[in-house]
Amino acid sequence: MKESTARVIFAQLGKGPNNYNQTEQKLVDYISDNLDQAAEDTIQSMAQKANVSAASISRFVKKIGFSSYRDFSVALASYQQGKAPLDLFGEILDDDNTEAIKKKVFSGAQNALTMTSEALSAEMLDKALSWLISAKRVGFFGIGGSSIVAFNAYHKFLRTPIDVISHPDYDIQLMQAVKLTPQDTAVVISHSGRNDDTLFLAQKLNEHQVPFIAITSFADSPLAQMADIVLLSLAEEVNYRSESMSSLIAQLTIIDTLFTLTGSKLPKATQSVVDTMRDVIEGTRRQ
């Protein structure tokens, strides 16, 4: 397994406690709290220190994407060596000055973009692109902080020949969702992928057989399991910031990538729309 892929997997370890049973959570806690030592452990020594069986470790590493404990151990060592130093990214301390805080916050955002880029395959992006450009209509959906991303997507894709819809009000989003058909495509954005209102909207999309793309931070979330395509937005956070802050930056960049891909796939039609909109907007400005 490549080190970049390992970074994505290890970045997810502490994010979803609801996805692990009690034994698996012991392993996650041990690895997270003792990264240096865990990278050097044999399967027997890790089992003893984490107070679990070697068989449980073997099953766990396969569950999170490794073919064997050896591959897991090599990837863990590589990940540990490649982590950014704490003076550039880590917990914000009481005595940190403005310069230190700035570096840690910006490093968190850069880290989110790096991990998200590594998790996005060209194949998955191309599939999402084909759905967007072939759809009769595309709806962008998100509530709370995710509504910012949804409206940003709507604002961008208005500049393409694609017919798009979006709305900040949840009830109106539901009405828009149930009017979509199997010939349309929906994009549902949720950091956790576990919000009940978002899941209800996704359920209605499924009931109406509307293909939909999920943009979320958790590959095993209920939203991801309901979606036809999942684009992961990944982030490691510093304290004083919710995970969704850096995830928001990653989600906006995913949308920007899809918009740019659309423009490159439909260059003439997109340029025509952009030129028309530019002329209209220029007409509202004072000379």
Side-chain angles (χ1 to χ4, degrees):
M1 176 174 289
K2 296 191 300 183
E3 188 273 336
S4 60
T5 305
R7 286 185 62 198
V8 171
I9 292 175
F10 288 121
Q12 292 293 291
L13 282 182
K15 282 191 162 188
N18 294 331
N19 295 330
Y20 305 128
N21 61 37
Q22 187 175 8
T23 299
E24 292 167 344
Q25 191 59 51
K26 283 184 180 181
L27 277 169
V28 171
D29 292 342
Y30 170 73
I31 294 167
S32 301
D33 295 340
N34 305 277
L35 189 59
D36 290 343
Q37 183 58 54
E40 299 178 1
D41 278 334
T42 64
I43 191 170
Q44 289 80 14
S45 63
M46 181 176 288
Q48 183 178 10
K49 293 170 185 174
N51 195 27
V52 300
S53 69
S56 295
I57 297 176
S58 181
R59 287 192 294 270
F60 177 71
V61 299
K62 290 179 180 177
K63 175 179 178 177
I64 63 173
F66 295 92
S67 60
S68 66
Y69 181 80
R70 175 180 172 79
D71 287 345
F72 170 81
S73 181
V74 169
L76 181 57
S78 177
Y79 172 73
Q80 190 275 336
Q81 292 168 6
K83 283 184 70 66
L86 287 178
D87 60 341
L88 291 180
F89 176 74
E91 292 295 294
I92 293 176
L93 306 176
D94 291 341
D95 58 353
D96 279 347
N97 59 23
T98 299
E99 181 67 18
I101 292 173
K102 180 200 74 174
K103 286 184 177 179
K104 289 177 180 180
V105 171
F106 271 80
S107 180
Q110 292 164 356
N111 186 60
L113 292 176
T114 297
M115 289 197 298
T116 298
S117 176
E118 291 171 351
L120 290 174
S121 69
E123 179 182 4
M124 194 64 70
L125 287 169
D126 284 339
K127 184 177 180 181
L129 173 64
S130 69
W131 284 20
L132 292 173
I133 64 178
S134 63
K136 182 178 179 182
R137 175 175 292 175
V138 174
F140 294 101
F141 302 97
I143 62 177
S146 297
S147 67
I148 299 172
V149 184
F151 194 75
N152 174 266
Y154 173 68
H155 186 259
K156 277 189 169 67
F157 276 84
L158 276 175
R159 294 166 169 78
T160 73
I162 299 173
D163 183 18
V164 292
I165 58 172
S166 186
H167 200 281
D169 183 82
Y170 176 68
D171 288 341
I172 294 179
Q173 287 188 46
L174 280 177
M175 289 187 283
Q176 290 176 330
V178 298
K179 287 186 67 177
L180 294 179
T181 72
Q183 286 71 50
D184 302 317
T185 293
V187 179
V188 183
I189 303 141
S190 171
H191 167 63
S192 68
R194 291 181 169 82
N195 179 277
D196 286 339
D197 289 337
T198 301
L199 294 176
F200 182 71
L201 187 148
Q203 177 187 330
K204 293 304 172 184
L205 291 171
N206 281 344
E207 288 175 2
H208 288 77
Q209 299 181 325
V210 181
F212 83 86
I213 302 163
I215 299 178
T216 182
S217 297
F218 298 89
D220 294 331
S221 66
L223 179 65
Q225 293 172 7
M226 296 170 72
D228 300 285
I229 297 176
V230 179
L231 304 178
L232 289 177
S233 54
L234 303 177
E236 290 176 347
E237 297 295 336
V238 297
N239 53 333
Y240 302 119
R241 303 182 72 200
S242 67
E243 285 184 345
S244 58
M245 294 302 293
S246 289
S247 175
L248 182 70
I249 295 171
Q251 290 170 353
L252 289 169
T253 307
I254 290 173
I255 293 298
D256 201 33
T257 301
L258 292 173
F259 166 72
T260 304
L261 287 169
T262 300
S264 66
K265 190 71 172 180
L266 305 171
K268 292 183 179 180
T270 299
Q271 190 60 53
S272 176
V273 175
V274 170
D275 290 342
T276 299
M277 289 190 170
R278 184 179 293 130
D279 291 342
V280 170
I281 292 172
E282 282 296 324
T284 67
R285 293 173 178 164
R286 291 185 180 183
Q287 301 298 319

